[in-house]
Amino acid sequence: MKKYYILVVVLVIILIAETTFVFLDLQKEDVAPEKSYINIPKEEDSDSTDDEENSNSDLEDNQNVEDSEIANYLSYIPHYLPLDYSVYFENANIEDVDQSVLIVMALGVGMNNYDAKRCSVDQCGYYLDNPIAIKYLYDDFEEPVYGLYYFTLEYINNILESMYNIRLSNLEETTSWDNVYAGYHGGFAFQDDYFLNCSSGIGENRYHVGFVDDWKIENSELIIYEIAAYRDTYTQTLTDYRNGYEITIDAYFPDEALNTLRDNSEHFTRYKHVFKKNDNGYYWYSTEAI
């Protein structure tokens, strides 16, 4: 009886061994043919490699840009509605925009950074941190008038380089009110390598409204598609920049303006914004209606 059990165990071991051998052999037959599909002729290797590298490069760029960053890049687009200037009104690229507009945009970012405490007193600050007297503009005053806020030229240049890939040089000093840089946060005079806040902001009643329709990275360029309009708090309307389409809203509630734009997007202009790459990320290059 004992011999019978030993014989059964031996037969089971032999059966398991044979089954394992057959399974492994079948696995080899299944895997081997797949390798032949990656055999690319040598004359196609060069072009294929270039295409693959470009594709991988764009893919890497795409992975480096988060959705949350897109709104920040849109803030680079030059527009200042209180002075009736905006690239949304007319197609433009970086070479078409007056340097003073770009400076105003950078000063606005500087003020936002100051409010958020993202700059040090040697770059920007309040006049109590580093009182700097304004020249020329207040000569009739008996006591010196100090810039309420200040930014160094180097600090604004760093912002301009990130946003527009430019740096200022040989910039003329502000000697009269005619060449003050008027922005959302007030007027700034450029004197002694400082931008000094010299007046309060311009009252405004028109505000940009837009939403991202799509975006992609192509040939190392960031392309953002936006549907946009502006809201007017006086007339309580949402108006297209280009075609004159207008719809009445309660413009005191920004969410309502955006929701109205989304619900009626077929009536409003779609824009293509192109951002080119530099060492800081992407900078605004052009905007066109499509």
Side-chain angles (χ1 to χ4, degrees), residues 103-147:
I103 292 173
V104 166
M105 294 293 295
L107 287 167
V109 172
M111 284 299 300
N112 291 337
N113 289 346
Y114 171 79
D115 291 339
K117 304 185 184 306
R118 288 193 293 262
C119 59
S120 58
V121 294
D122 61 330
Q123 299 171 321
C124 65
Y126 192 59
Y127 81 102
L128 293 177
D129 300 323
N130 181 20
I132 304 172
I134 299 170
K135 299 184 296 184
Y136 313 119
L137 305 183
Y138 293 100
D139 285 346
D140 294 338
F141 285 55
E142 293 183 1
E143 299 294 330
V145 176
Y146 300 98

Coordinates of all heavy atoms in Angstrom, one line a residue, residues 103-147:
I103 N 4.8 98.6 -19.4 CA 5.3 99.1 -18.1 C 4.1 99.1 -17.1 O 4.2 98.7 -15.9 CB 6.0 100.4 -18.2 CG1 7.3 100.3 -19.0 CG2 6.2 101.0 -16.8 CD1 8.0 101.6 -19.3
V104 N 2.9 99.7 -17.5 CA 1.8 99.8 -16.7 C 1.3 98.4 -16.2 O 1.0 98.1 -15.1 CB 0.6 100.5 -17.4 CG1 -0.7 100.3 -16.7 CG2 0.9 102.0 -17.5
M105 N 1.4 97.4 -17.2 CA 1.0 96.0 -16.8 C 1.9 95.5 -15.8 O 1.5 94.8 -14.8 CB 1.0 95.2 -18.1 CG 0.0 95.5 -19.1 SD -1.7 95.2 -18.6 CE -1.7 93.4 -18.5
A106 N 3.2 95.7 -15.9 CA 4.2 95.2 -15.0 C 4.1 95.9 -13.6 O 4.2 95.2 -12.5 CB 5.6 95.4 -15.5
L107 N 3.7 97.2 -13.6 CA 3.5 97.9 -12.3 C 2.3 97.3 -11.6 O 2.3 97.2 -10.4 CB 3.3 99.4 -12.6 CG 4.6 100.1 -13.0 CD1 4.3 101.5 -13.5 CD2 5.6 100.3 -11.8
G108 N 1.3 96.9 -12.3 CA 0.1 96.3 -11.7 C 0.5 95.0 -11.0 O 0.0 94.7 -9.9
V109 N 1.3 94.2 -11.7 CA 1.8 93.0 -11.1 C 2.6 93.3 -9.8 O 2.5 92.6 -8.8 CB 2.6 92.2 -12.1 CG1 3.3 91.0 -11.4 CG2 1.8 91.7 -13.2
G110 N 3.5 94.3 -9.9 CA 4.3 94.7 -8.8 C 3.4 95.1 -7.6 O 3.7 94.7 -6.4
M111 N 2.3 95.8 -7.8 CA 1.4 96.2 -6.7 C 0.8 95.0 -6.1 O 0.6 94.9 -4.9 CB 0.4 97.2 -7.2 CG 0.9 98.6 -7.4 SD 1.5 99.4 -5.9 CE 0.0 99.3 -4.8
N112 N 0.4 94.0 -7.0 CA -0.2 92.8 -6.5 C 0.8 92.0 -5.6 O 0.4 91.4 -4.6 CB -0.7 91.9 -7.6 CG -1.9 92.5 -8.3 OD1 -2.7 93.3 -7.8 ND2 -2.1 92.2 -9.6
N113 N 2.0 92.0 -6.1 CA 3.1 91.3 -5.3 C 3.3 92.0 -4.0 O 3.6 91.3 -3.0 CB 4.4 91.3 -6.1 CG 4.3 90.3 -7.3 OD1 3.4 89.5 -7.4 ND2 5.2 90.4 -8.2
Y114 N 3.3 93.3 -4.0 CA 3.5 94.0 -2.7 C 2.3 93.7 -1.8 O 2.6 93.4 -0.6 CB 3.5 95.6 -3.0 CG 3.5 96.4 -1.7 CD1 4.7 96.5 -1.0 CD2 2.4 96.9 -1.2 CE1 4.7 97.2 0.2 CE2 2.4 97.6 0.0 CZ 3.5 97.7 0.7 OH 3.5 98.4 1.9
D115 N 1.1 93.8 -2.2 CA 0.0 93.5 -1.4 C 0.0 92.1 -0.8 O -0.4 91.8 0.3 CB -1.3 93.7 -2.2 CG -1.6 95.1 -2.5 OD1 -1.1 96.0 -1.8 OD2 -2.4 95.3 -3.5
A116 N 0.6 91.1 -1.6 CA 0.7 89.7 -1.2 C 2.0 89.5 -0.4 O 2.3 88.3 -0.1 CB 0.6 88.8 -2.4
K117 N 2.8 90.6 -0.2 CA 4.1 90.5 0.5 C 5.0 89.5 -0.2 O 5.7 88.7 0.5 CB 3.9 90.0 2.0 CG 2.9 91.0 2.7 CD 2.8 90.6 4.2 CE 1.8 91.5 5.0 NZ 2.0 92.9 4.8
R118 N 5.1 89.6 -1.5 CA 6.0 88.8 -2.3 C 7.2 89.5 -2.7 O 7.9 89.1 -3.6 CB 5.2 88.2 -3.5 CG 4.2 87.1 -3.2 CD 3.8 86.4 -4.4 NE 3.0 87.2 -5.3 CZ 1.7 87.2 -5.4 NH1 1.0 86.5 -4.6 NH2 1.1 88.0 -6.2
C119 N 7.5 90.7 -2.2 CA 8.8 91.4 -2.5 C 9.3 92.1 -1.3 O 8.6 92.4 -0.4 CB 8.5 92.4 -3.6 SG 7.3 93.7 -3.2
S120 N 10.6 92.3 -1.3 CA 11.3 92.8 -0.1 C 11.4 94.3 -0.3 O 11.3 94.9 -1.4 CB 12.7 92.2 0.0 OG 13.4 92.4 -1.2
V121 N 11.8 95.0 0.8 CA 11.8 96.5 0.8 C 12.9 97.0 -0.1 O 12.8 98.2 -0.4 CB 12.0 97.0 2.3 CG1 10.7 96.7 3.1 CG2 13.2 96.5 2.9
D122 N 13.9 96.2 -0.4 CA 14.9 96.7 -1.3 C 14.5 96.7 -2.8 O 15.1 97.2 -3.7 CB 16.2 96.0 -1.1 CG 16.1 94.5 -1.4 OD1 15.0 94.0 -1.2 OD2 17.1 93.9 -1.9
Q123 N 13.3 96.0 -3.0 CA 12.8 95.9 -4.4 C 11.5 96.8 -4.5 O 11.3 97.4 -5.5 CB 12.4 94.5 -4.7 CG 13.6 93.5 -4.7 CD 13.1 92.1 -4.8 OE1 12.1 91.7 -4.2 NE2 13.8 91.3 -5.5
C124 N 10.7 96.8 -3.5 CA 9.4 97.5 -3.5 C 8.9 97.8 -2.1 O 9.3 97.1 -1.2 CB 8.4 96.8 -4.4 SG 7.8 95.2 -3.7
G125 N 8.1 98.8 -1.9 CA 7.6 99.0 -0.6 C 6.7 100.2 -0.5 O 6.4 100.9 -1.5
Y126 N 6.4 100.5 0.8 CA 5.6 101.7 1.1 C 6.6 102.8 1.5 O 7.7 102.6 1.9 CB 4.7 101.3 2.3 CG 3.6 102.3 2.6 CD1 2.6 102.7 1.7 CD2 3.5 102.9 3.9 CE1 1.6 103.5 2.0 CE2 2.5 103.8 4.2 CZ 1.6 104.1 3.2 OH 0.6 105.0 3.5
Y127 N 6.1 104.1 1.3 CA 7.1 105.2 1.5 C 7.7 105.3 2.9 O 8.8 105.8 3.0 CB 6.4 106.5 1.1 CG 5.5 107.1 2.2 CD1 6.0 108.2 3.0 CD2 4.2 106.6 2.5 CE1 5.2 108.7 4.0 CE2 3.4 107.2 3.5 CZ 3.9 108.2 4.2 OH 3.1 108.7 5.2
L128 N 7.0 104.7 3.9 CA 7.6 104.7 5.2 C 8.8 103.8 5.3 O 9.6 104.0 6.2 CB 6.5 104.4 6.2 CG 5.3 105.4 6.4 CD1 4.3 104.8 7.4 CD2 5.9 106.7 6.9
D129 N 8.8 102.8 4.5 CA 10.0 101.9 4.5 C 11.2 102.6 3.9 O 12.3 102.3 4.4 CB 9.7 100.6 3.7 CG 8.5 99.8 4.2 OD1 8.3 99.8 5.4 OD2 7.7 99.3 3.4
N130 N 11.0 103.4 2.9 CA 12.1 104.0 2.2 C 11.6 105.3 1.5 O 11.3 105.3 0.3 CB 12.7 103.1 1.2 CG 13.9 103.6 0.5 OD1 14.5 104.6 0.9 ND2 14.3 103.1 -0.7
P131 N 11.4 106.4 2.2 CA 10.8 107.6 1.7 C 11.7 108.2 0.5 O 12.9 108.5 0.8 CB 10.7 108.6 2.8 CG 11.7 108.0 3.9 CD 11.8 106.6 3.7
I132 N 11.1 108.3 -0.7 CA 11.8 108.8 -1.8 C 11.0 110.0 -2.4 O 9.8 109.8 -2.7 CB 12.0 107.8 -2.9 CG1 12.7 106.5 -2.4 CG2 12.8 108.3 -4.1 CD1 12.8 105.4 -3.3
A133 N 11.6 111.2 -2.4 CA 10.9 112.4 -2.8 C 10.6 112.4 -4.3 O 11.5 112.0 -5.1 CB 11.6 113.6 -2.4
I134 N 9.5 112.8 -4.7 CA 9.2 113.0 -6.2 C 9.7 114.3 -6.7 O 9.4 115.3 -6.1 CB 7.6 112.8 -6.4 CG1 7.1 111.5 -5.9 CG2 7.3 113.0 -7.8 CD1 5.6 111.4 -5.9
K135 N 10.4 114.3 -7.7 CA 10.9 115.5 -8.3 C 10.0 116.1 -9.4 O 9.2 115.3 -10.0 CB 12.3 115.3 -8.9 CG 13.3 114.8 -7.9 CD 14.7 114.6 -8.6 CE 14.7 113.6 -9.7 NZ 16.1 113.4 -10.2
Y136 N 10.1 117.3 -9.7 CA 9.4 118.0 -10.8 C 7.9 118.2 -10.7 O 7.4 119.3 -10.9 CB 9.7 117.3 -12.2 CG 11.1 116.9 -12.4 CD1 11.5 115.6 -12.5 CD2 12.1 117.9 -12.4 CE1 12.8 115.2 -12.7 CE2 13.5 117.5 -12.6 CZ 13.8 116.2 -12.8 OH 15.1 115.9 -13.0
L137 N 7.2 117.1 -10.3 CA 5.8 117.1 -10.4 C 5.1 118.0 -9.3 O 4.0 118.5 -9.5 CB 5.2 115.7 -10.3 CG 5.8 114.7 -11.3 CD1 5.1 113.3 -11.2 CD2 5.6 115.2 -12.7
Y138 N 5.8 118.1 -8.2 CA 5.2 118.9 -7.0 C 6.1 120.0 -6.6 O 6.3 120.3 -5.4 CB 5.0 117.9 -5.9 CG 3.9 116.9 -6.1 CD1 4.3 115.6 -6.5 CD2 2.5 117.2 -6.0 CE1 3.3 114.6 -6.7 CE2 1.6 116.3 -6.2 CZ 1.9 115.0 -6.6 OH 1.0 114.0 -6.8
D139 N 6.7 120.7 -7.6 CA 7.6 121.8 -7.3 C 6.9 123.0 -6.6 O 7.6 123.8 -5.9 CB 8.3 122.3 -8.6 CG 9.4 121.4 -9.1 OD1 9.8 120.5 -8.3 OD2 9.8 121.5 -10.2
D140 N 5.6 123.1 -6.8 CA 4.9 124.2 -6.1 C 4.6 124.0 -4.6 O 4.2 124.9 -3.9 CB 3.6 124.4 -6.8 CG 3.8 124.9 -8.3 OD1 4.8 125.4 -8.6 OD2 2.8 124.7 -9.1
F141 N 4.9 122.7 -4.2 CA 4.6 122.4 -2.8 C 5.9 122.8 -1.9 O 7.0 122.7 -2.4 CB 4.4 120.9 -2.6 CG 3.0 120.5 -3.0 CD1 2.6 120.7 -4.3 CD2 2.2 119.8 -2.2 CE1 1.3 120.3 -4.7 CE2 1.0 119.3 -2.6 CZ 0.5 119.6 -3.9
E142 N 5.6 123.3 -0.8 CA 6.7 123.8 0.1 C 7.4 122.6 0.7 O 8.6 122.6 0.8 CB 6.1 124.6 1.3 CG 5.5 126.0 0.8 CD 5.1 126.8 2.0 OE1 5.2 126.4 3.1 OE2 4.6 127.9 1.7
E143 N 6.7 121.5 1.0 CA 7.3 120.3 1.6 C 7.4 119.3 0.5 O 6.6 119.2 -0.4 CB 6.4 119.8 2.7 CG 6.3 120.8 3.9 CD 7.6 121.0 4.6 OE1 8.4 120.1 4.6 OE2 7.7 122.1 5.2
P144 N 8.4 118.4 0.6 CA 8.6 117.3 -0.4 C 7.4 116.4 -0.4 O 6.8 116.1 0.7 CB 9.9 116.7 0.0 CG 10.1 117.0 1.5 CD 9.5 118.3 1.7
V145 N 7.1 115.8 -1.5 CA 6.0 114.8 -1.6 C 6.7 113.5 -2.0 O 7.6 113.4 -2.9 CB 5.0 115.2 -2.8 CG1 4.0 114.0 -2.9 CG2 4.3 116.5 -2.4
Y146 N 6.4 112.5 -1.2 CA 7.1 111.2 -1.4 C 6.2 110.2 -2.2 O 5.0 110.3 -2.1 CB 7.4 110.6 0.0 CG 8.3 111.4 0.8 CD1 7.8 112.3 1.8 CD2 9.7 111.4 0.6 CE1 8.7 113.1 2.6 CE2 10.6 112.2 1.3 CZ 10.0 113.1 2.3 OH 10.9 113.9 3.0
G147 N 6.9 109.4 -2.9 CA 6.1 108.3 -3.6 C 5.4 107.4 -2.6 O 6.1 106.8 -1.7

